[in-house]
Amino acid sequence: MFSGNRKIKQPGFKFLVFSIMCCFTHIATAAGRGIDNQYFGLSIEELMNIEVTTVSRQSQKLIDVASAIFVITSDDIRRSGATSIPDALRMAPGVQVARVGTDKWAVSVRGFNGLYANKLQVLMDGRSVYSPIFSGVLWEQQDTLMADIERIEVIRGPAATSWGANAVNGVINIITKKAADTQGTFLTAGGGSFEHGFIGARYGGEINAQTPFRIYAKGFTRDNTTALSGENIHNQWHSVRGGFRVDHARGNDEFTLQGDLFYLSKGDTLSRETIQLPSHIPTNGLRGHQEGGNIRFRWNRIFSEQNSILLQTYYDTNQTRLLPIGRTHDERFDIDFQHRFLLYGRHDLTWGANYRLYHNKISETELVKFTPAEQTNHLISAFIRDDLTLIPDRLLLSLGTRIEHNDFTGFEIQPNGRLMWTPNARNSIWMSVSRAVRTPSRAENDVTNTVGQLDSAGTFALPIPILLTLQGNSSFNSEKLIAYELGYRHQFSPQASIDIAGFINDYSQLRDLSFGALTFSTGLPQQFILPATVNNQASALTYGFETSIDWRPLSSWRLQSSYSFLDMDISSNKELKRLDPITGGADKISPQHQLSLRSNYDISEKLQLNLWLRYISKIAFYDIPDYVTMDAKLAFKPYKNIELFLVGQNLFAESHREFVADTIPSIPGVIPRGIYAGARWHF
Amino acid sequence: MANADEPVEYKVKAAFIYNFIAFTQWPEETGQTLNVCFHGEDYFENEIDKLQHRSVNNHQLSVIRTDSIDQLQDCQVVFFSKSEREKFPALLDALQDKPVLTLADSPDAAAQGIAINMVLVNEKIVFEINLNRARSSGLNISARLLNLATKVY
């Protein structure tokens, strides 16, 4: 599998290779084609440095290989020059990443993008960071030392059987390195035009040989963005965070204890055009902050290769405060158990159970009110999955289901079936049918907020302004998806491979809006008040495909490209189609075409040039034109453990638009060209 | 489907075994052929067959799969599969004071008397040596191996 590759200590790459090649090695060896064991040529010291398992032991199974998975490795991240996790996600096919301003991103998979894209589950080291308040991810909080990320697995398509509700369009797993792989001292610092300044430090040591640990801290400050008009949005963003990880191995057992703390401060400018704001509320120069932390404990007992148990528990808390918009406090406790074992030799069974507790409080402001303000919710679920070998090394079937109970919609059933056929060492074909649900958020149940002034003349031909308010609905149900997927992987040579995945997603009971009775305001200004409330009357049929090609024309040159196509057909309330970016207008929110081309070239042992070209087609809903841009990173390594780098981001234009904030009335920023330089030192 | 890591893990373990043999000296009366026996359930698949007919320090390796104690009498190297964990004391008794290099990959096997035991620590393979056991069997384990061992009993 790794012939001629001595850089075996690249678990991410290894995993990717495995994903593509998993079943081929077996066939090759079983057929006795006598591939020699290349490790016989290595010294003991070298052998002791080879990683023979990866952290994804639990997930490296048919269910992942027979799905549209893409892995961003730590080398990809370093070479891309990406300074944040959402920016790194632009490398994966089928992922829509749009930056709204300095501190905000909209990230989704296979459509339905939004500031709180609600159909994408995101986990950091097994900890769900999907907000139960908004149904989405606060990307500004999701960060760590970029150098400590081992890989990011991006699974497109439903994965609710494995990962639970809200893994509807996909799952993103951000996995950090083991403590043993972050030994020594690491320092990085730099700064530039948009990335004003950043600093990071990590120290890894050993309590004893079986107990490595690391501690880290990082901080950065990023410039404000400006509105299209040139106005400063005052959304400068400052962030500090720190954390630790301790791993311990004892016989069959592996333990991990990990925690992080963060504080960030950011700003915003609101638009009076999109929202009705009481005149005493300033719209400009608002500053807010967020802080939080988490602690996670994981115990993995490995009886044998196919018999293991996993117990994980974590506590996570975060607070956000951006007045006048809102103040939230969100706490989560989770405990998860999984058991994997082999039955009758060919059933690779995994079952598990999960309990999660959500406790959150949303303070009432002049714009937003939750009733009740404070609530505790419980989520209980259990799953079982059988990865069944029908024909050894050729035909594999995976069947599974998850049953979940939540406080809003009761029981949800999320089954999944996958079939993978590997006719020979170069080809594999997989297909799947799965069902997943997106469960309601607190906001959809309990919110009352002022959405804004309707263009009443256009919509209703009325001379008096209409104020639209959004009203939660306690009978709001889950959104459902049945997805049909088909994928193909082909290995042209050890240097070149292609991966294609297509899907048809059939959504029902999607969130739509309907109007309540129009009332006339009792005070000033004179206006009609129109309550809108959420219902489940929309549906959608989306289809598309993603393809990625990986080619190493030379050992020093790697090209990776991906193209994603997406088409969405949405049936929803016609009157609101052009006002609702979440569902009604979603077909015009996600770009239809996305292209990414990366070239990583090692000019010499000391010099690397990495280029990254991207094309994103237009976002008609916000009148955002298509754009082409490029990032470039030049890295110079005067010594083995020192890297000096110069990075240019979004080079092709002084600035470009990517998105508009839905849900909150922030003035969208234009994304500027950025140049930064810095160094990293490892000793 | 088999776990992804099995092929790599056991390829690497096979390479370790090859090295363990290379850094061990048998008493002079030992013949030219070293019988390398694999006892118990086979996790290596054909990885161990790649040791067949290799030469190490003027010895030829011959790979034999065994499943009963009697068959162990002709072995110079025995790798005990983890399927045999419960039987280690009996198996070791049968080989007591014979010039046999005993190997395993089960937790605490070195403490129980296996001469060299491979252990997974932080996803990498390390090994422990039971020097008393090796010496009493008349084997000489190179200082280089002893230096690299995580634990020497």
Side-chain angles (χ1 to χ4, degrees):
Chain A
M1 213 150 68
F2 307 112
S3 50
N5 179 8
R6 287 251 180 138
K7 279 193 258 166
I8 317 161
K9 226 191 98 183
Q10 280 183 24
F13 171 66
K14 190 165 91 179
F15 178 78
L16 182 63
V17 172
F18 162 67
S19 308
I20 300 162
M21 295 291 292
C22 74
C23 309
F24 307 161
T25 318
H26 277 299
I27 297 167
T29 52
R33 256 177 270 156
I35 308 164
D36 202 14
N37 183 330
Q38 69 272 26
Y39 300 113
F40 281 161
L42 301 188
S43 71
I44 288 234
E45 290 86 348
E46 285 172 307
L47 289 171
M48 291 176 81
N49 260 321
I50 294 171
E51 287 204 17
V52 293
T53 58
T54 79
V55 260
S56 65
R57 188 181 274 275
Q58 289 284 328
S59 62
Q60 259 182 11
K61 277 174 272 177
L62 167 64
I63 198 137
D64 284 345
V65 184
S67 61
I69 185 169
F70 186 87
V71 178
I72 299 166
T73 66
S74 87
D75 188 59
D76 287 331
I77 294 170
R78 186 183 58 79
R79 286 175 182 267
S80 72
T83 53
S84 67
I85 290 169
D87 278 345
L89 290 171
R90 296 177 198 263
M91 285 185 265
V95 182
Q96 290 87 40
V97 178
R99 198 167 186 168
V100 186
T102 302
D103 58 328
K104 294 185 195 71
W105 281 267
V107 179
S108 187
V109 168
R110 292 181 173 172
F112 292 104
N113 203 6
L115 193 58
Y116 303 113
N118 59 27
K119 295 173 186 61
L120 175 67
Q121 179 63 263
V122 179
L123 301 107
M124 264 190 100
D125 284 325
R127 173 174 55 88
S128 170
V129 296
Y130 182 96
S131 162
I133 303 176
F134 312 103
S135 278
V137 175
L138 297 165
W139 282 102
E140 63 268 36
Q141 293 184 0
Q142 314 316 327
D143 193 16
T144 187
L145 202 59
M146 295 300 275
D148 283 354
I149 298 177
E150 186 194 80
R151 64 178 191 278
I152 303 175
E153 296 176 359
V154 179
I155 298 166
R156 313 185 300 276
T161 301
S162 295
W163 302 104
N166 307 319
V168 174
N169 281 18
V171 177
I172 291 174
N173 275 313
I174 300 147
I175 297 157
T176 62
K177 290 176 181 168
K178 304 211 124 194
D181 294 328
T182 51
Q183 294 289 290
T185 305
F186 173 89
L187 298 171
T188 184
S193 61
F194 183 59
E195 293 288 337
H196 269 176
F198 57 87
I199 186 161
R202 172 237 293 154
Y203 175 73
E206 279 181 349
I207 296 165
N208 59 44
Q210 280 74 45
T211 318
F213 72 92
R214 71 161 172 263
I215 49 172
Y216 81 92
K218 78 174 273 188
F220 63 77
T221 171
R222 291 180 184 147
D223 198 7
N224 62 276
T225 43
T226 56
L228 199 56
S229 63
E231 177 196 358
N232 183 342
I233 306 177
H234 297 294
N235 54 358
Q236 296 93 327
W237 178 16
H238 317 293
S239 164
V240 287
R241 93 173 34 231
F244 74 96
R245 173 171 177 150
V246 188
D247 292 330
H248 176 64
R250 177 181 297 188
N252 287 338
D253 296 313
E254 290 172 6
F255 303 92
T256 297
L257 184 67
Q258 189 176 11
D260 302 273
L261 282 173
F262 73 90
Y263 173 87
L264 63 91
S265 125
K266 51 182 220 161
D268 217 335
T269 299
L270 305 182
S271 158
R272 283 194 196 274
E273 285 166 28
T274 54
I275 192 166
Q276 184 73 16
L277 286 173
S279 54
H280 65 273
I281 290 182
T283 55
N284 210 339
L286 308 172
R287 292 298 299 176
H289 56 86
Q290 303 183 3
E291 58 270 321
N294 64 80
I295 187 147
R296 176 179 81 111
F297 172 73
R298 179 184 160 115
W299 170 40
N300 199 357
R301 170 164 282 192
I302 301 151
F303 300 107
S304 74
E305 281 68 18
Q306 281 160 326
N307 190 344
S308 57
I309 56 174
L310 173 75
L311 182 73
Q312 175 177 278
T313 181
Y314 63 81
Y315 169 77
D316 189 335
T317 177
N318 74 77
Q319 296 190 60
T320 70
R321 183 190 172 98
L322 182 67
L323 296 175
I325 299 177
R327 230 170 94 184
T328 65
H329 182 202
D330 175 11
E331 286 179 293
R332 303 165 213 178
F333 168 78
D334 183 284
I335 183 158
D336 191 63
F337 172 82
Q338 287 185 29
H339 178 206
R340 179 182 178 195
F341 62 100
L342 201 64
L343 192 68
Y344 306 129
R346 51 187 211 141
H347 294 267
D348 185 355
L349 279 164
T350 310
W351 69 277
N354 175 268
Y355 168 74
R356 190 174 296 167
L357 180 143
Y358 292 117
H359 176 253
N360 47 54
K361 184 178 176 189
I362 300 96
S363 307
E364 185 179 339
T365 66
E366 284 179 82
L367 298 178
V368 181
K369 182 184 173 195
F370 275 59
T371 319
E374 190 168 353
Q375 198 171 68
T376 302
N377 296 113
H378 308 272
L379 183 75
I380 302 168
S381 75
F383 79 96
I384 183 157
R385 195 179 68 229
D386 182 8
D387 293 351
L388 168 64
T389 305
L390 294 175
I391 304 172
D393 301 324
R394 300 277 155 153
L395 195 60
L396 300 149
L397 174 71
S398 171
L399 293 172
T401 191
R402 180 178 287 266
I403 298 175
E404 187 164 309
H405 184 272
N406 71 72
D407 290 347
F408 300 107
T409 63
F411 284 101
E412 300 286 358
I413 296 178
Q414 302 179 93
N416 175 285
R418 286 174 192 273
L419 189 68
M420 183 153 109
W421 179 43
T422 310
N424 55 49
R426 288 172 171 263
N427 297 292
S428 63
I429 295 167
W430 59 268
M431 61 198 79
S432 80
V433 181
S434 33
R435 181 179 194 269
V437 304
R438 202 274 296 175
T439 53
S441 64
R442 277 270 273 134
E444 282 157 334
N445 269 260
D446 305 328
V447 79
T448 309
N449 74 336
T450 305
V451 177
Q453 199 83 48
L454 279 183
D455 171 10
S456 50
T459 312
F460 299 100
L462 287 172
I464 300 168
I466 296 173
L467 182 70
L468 188 66
T469 64
L470 186 69
Q471 192 71 54
N473 177 355
S474 61
S475 60
F476 181 69
N477 211 335
S478 290
E479 299 183 325
K480 276 94 177 168
L481 166 67
I482 294 180
Y484 308 88
E485 296 176 273
L486 180 66
Y488 172 62
R489 292 190 184 96
H490 181 74
Q491 188 83 22
F492 297 100
S493 71
Q495 287 77 39
S497 62
I498 185 167
D499 186 328
I500 305 169
F503 66 92
I504 298 173
N505 281 356
D506 186 358
Y507 299 88
S508 57
Q509 293 190 273
L510 287 181
R511 170 170 127 197
D512 203 353
L513 296 170
S514 57
F515 293 121
L518 196 64
T519 55
F520 199 69
S521 64
T522 45
L524 286 173
Q526 283 202 329
Q527 59 189 356
F528 285 109
I529 294 172
L530 182 63
T533 189
V534 295
N535 64 46
N536 289 92
Q537 284 164 13
S539 63
L541 192 70
T542 71
Y543 72 95
F545 68 92
E546 301 99 15
T547 173
S548 54
I549 297 173
D550 193 332
W551 180 35
R552 293 169 186 268
L554 301 169
S555 63
S556 56
W557 191 22
R558 184 175 186 192
L559 288 168
Q560 288 166 282
S561 76
S562 71
Y563 167 73
S564 314
F565 172 82
L566 174 66
D567 196 76
M568 305 176 74
D569 184 20
I570 290 166
S571 314
S572 68
N573 187 335
K574 287 196 172 53
E575 286 165 345
L576 283 167
K577 241 181 159 5
R578 57 187 195 87
L579 292 171
D580 175 22
I582 308 300
T583 307
D587 52 341
K588 294 186 171 61
I589 288 277
S590 295
Q592 193 158 40
H593 307 277
Q594 293 195 103
L595 189 70
S596 157
L597 179 63
R598 285 182 288 148
S599 161
N600 295 334
Y601 184 54
D602 296 348
I603 299 166
S604 71
E605 272 187 19
K606 293 186 169 177
L607 203 59
Q608 295 174 342
L609 178 64
N610 308 298
L611 302 171
W612 183 10
L613 185 77
R614 295 187 297 273
Y615 167 76
I616 310 293
S617 68
K618 67 172 194 243
I619 295 179
F621 191 89
Y622 297 125
D623 293 320
I624 295 175
D626 59 348
Y627 69 90
V628 186
T629 193
M630 181 183 257
D631 291 359
K633 174 170 177 172
L634 187 67
F636 175 58
K637 291 182 171 179
Y639 302 100
K640 206 177 163 189
N641 58 348
I642 293 182
E643 181 185 288
L644 306 172
F645 50 80
L646 179 66
V647 178
Q649 295 178 307
N650 301 307
L651 288 171
F652 284 179
E654 195 185 333
S655 68
H656 67 277
R657 296 169 70 198
E658 293 194 1
F659 213 69
V660 171
D662 48 79
T663 321
I664 56 171
S666 304
I667 292 183
V670 292
I671 308 307
R673 177 188 291 143
I675 308 281
Y676 72 87
R680 47 198 275 169
W681 182 24
H682 187 211
F683 58 96
Chain B
M1 188 182 63
N3 186 295
D5 305 317
E6 279 172 68
V8 181
E9 178 177 342
Y10 280 90
K11 269 185 181 189
V12 175
K13 283 182 176 173
F16 266 103
I17 292 173
Y18 180 68
N19 273 282
F20 294 150
I21 297 170
F23 288 106
T24 302
Q25 272 191 333
W26 273 262
E28 289 195 3
E29 59 272 21
T30 308
Q32 221 224 327
T33 303
L34 291 180
N35 289 325
V36 185
C37 302
F38 286 82
H39 193 76
E41 198 178 321
D42 180 9
Y43 293 95
F44 287 89
E45 298 188 1
N46 64 347
E47 289 309 320
I48 47 172
D49 297 319
K50 293 170 187 165
L51 291 168
Q52 181 77 8
H53 303 314
R54 278 186 180 257
S55 60
V56 186
N57 306 334
N58 300 325
H59 290 292
Q60 282 273 325
L61 302 185
S62 170
V63 172
I64 302 171
R65 288 182 171 83
T66 57
D67 47 25
S68 74
I69 288 191
D70 303 339
Q71 291 171 300
L72 297 179
Q73 301 306 319
D74 297 327
C75 306
Q76 281 74 46
V77 181
V78 184
F79 178 87
F80 292 108
S81 166
K82 44 193 152 182
S83 65
E84 307 303 297
R85 247 161 93 179
E86 319 272 281
K87 300 179 212 151
F88 281 171
L91 292 164
L92 287 167
D93 271 356
L95 298 172
Q96 188 75 38
D97 299 332
K98 290 203 160 111
V100 178
L101 177 66
T102 50
L103 307 173
D105 62 346
S106 303
D108 300 323
Q112 289 184 52
I114 297 279
I116 307 181
N117 183 43
M118 291 179 270
V119 189
L120 262 179
V121 174
N122 296 316
E123 322 229 317
K124 289 165 189 166
I125 295 169
V126 297
F127 57 91
E128 329 169 310
I129 295 179
N130 188 324
L131 191 59
N132 290 333
R133 172 79 194 192
R135 287 205 172 129
S136 69
S137 350
L139 302 176
N140 193 356
I141 293 183
S142 128
R144 181 154 168 226
L145 272 192
L146 293 171
N147 284 335
L148 291 170
T150 52
K151 207 165 185 184
V152 177
Y153 292 92

